[in-house]
Amino acid sequence: MLTASLFNGMPYAGESTMIPLKMHLYIQALAFVQGMTLRAAHEDCATRFLAEKAWEKGLRWRDGHPPAVSDPEWVEVHVRIPCDLADNLAEVSRRNGVGLPDVLYTMLYWYSWILYPPLHEQERRKAREER
């Protein structure tokens, strides 16, 4: 369920998802090198994800629910974004029959692996193309 709050006078909504710890740390680093807060990075991610509609182009939904057994390699991330973006993501969730945590995890995965892949992944993709 989305929770609403105010940030700088604007209504924001938040929802939690579970993602790999390494992905969370990478997204934090991406935000830092782009001169953004994590909140701004999440907003940028949601805006781009909704515009791109990657789920309509073959991106599979990821399971954003807690693992059955506690795993230190996974962390809960609270994504706070403007209410209009949150409403749009909730609509994507409803239309595709997946939970909102799944949409958020998939969105963060897309941002950190497709849109801004780590250097080692860029190199792996380039080497594969050169074959």
Side-chain angles (χ1 to χ4, degrees):
M1 166 160 235
L2 291 170
T3 57
S5 62
L6 288 178
F7 179 73
N8 288 341
M10 284 183 55
Y12 269 67
E15 175 66 41
S16 294
T17 189
M18 296 293 291
I19 65 173
L21 174 60
K22 288 181 181 180
M23 180 187 295
H24 178 57
L25 295 173
Y26 181 64
I27 293 170
Q28 286 180 321
L30 282 173
F32 177 77
V33 299
Q34 294 178 26
M36 295 187 212
T37 63
L38 187 56
R39 183 186 305 255
H42 286 166
E43 185 174 338
D44 180 54
C45 176
T47 301
R48 290 170 176 238
F49 184 71
L50 288 165
E52 182 71 25
K53 297 182 182 183
W55 63 92
E56 293 180 355
K57 299 173 184 170
L59 181 65
R60 292 179 302 120
W61 297 110
R62 267 63 184 168
D63 184 1
H65 295 86
V69 177
S70 180
D71 185 344
E73 296 298 316
W74 287 77
V75 295
E76 182 176 14
V77 174
H78 198 66
V79 178
R80 290 187 188 275
I81 53 177
C83 287
D84 61 327
L85 290 175
D87 290 344
N88 290 338
L89 289 172
E91 182 61 25
V92 168
S93 169
R94 282 189 290 278
R95 286 184 183 210
N96 289 278
V98 295
L100 188 54
D102 302 336
V103 172
L104 294 174
Y105 177 11
T106 304
M107 174 187 83
L108 295 169
Y109 169 86
W110 173 83
Y111 191 74
S112 64
W113 196 252
I114 307 298
L115 192 59
Y116 295 112
L119 183 58
H120 68 84
E121 177 60 13
Q122 292 176 39
E123 291 170 348
R124 186 191 69 80
R125 291 175 189 177
K126 185 178 178 182
R128 190 175 65 192
E129 288 174 4
E130 291 174 353
R131 287 186 212 164

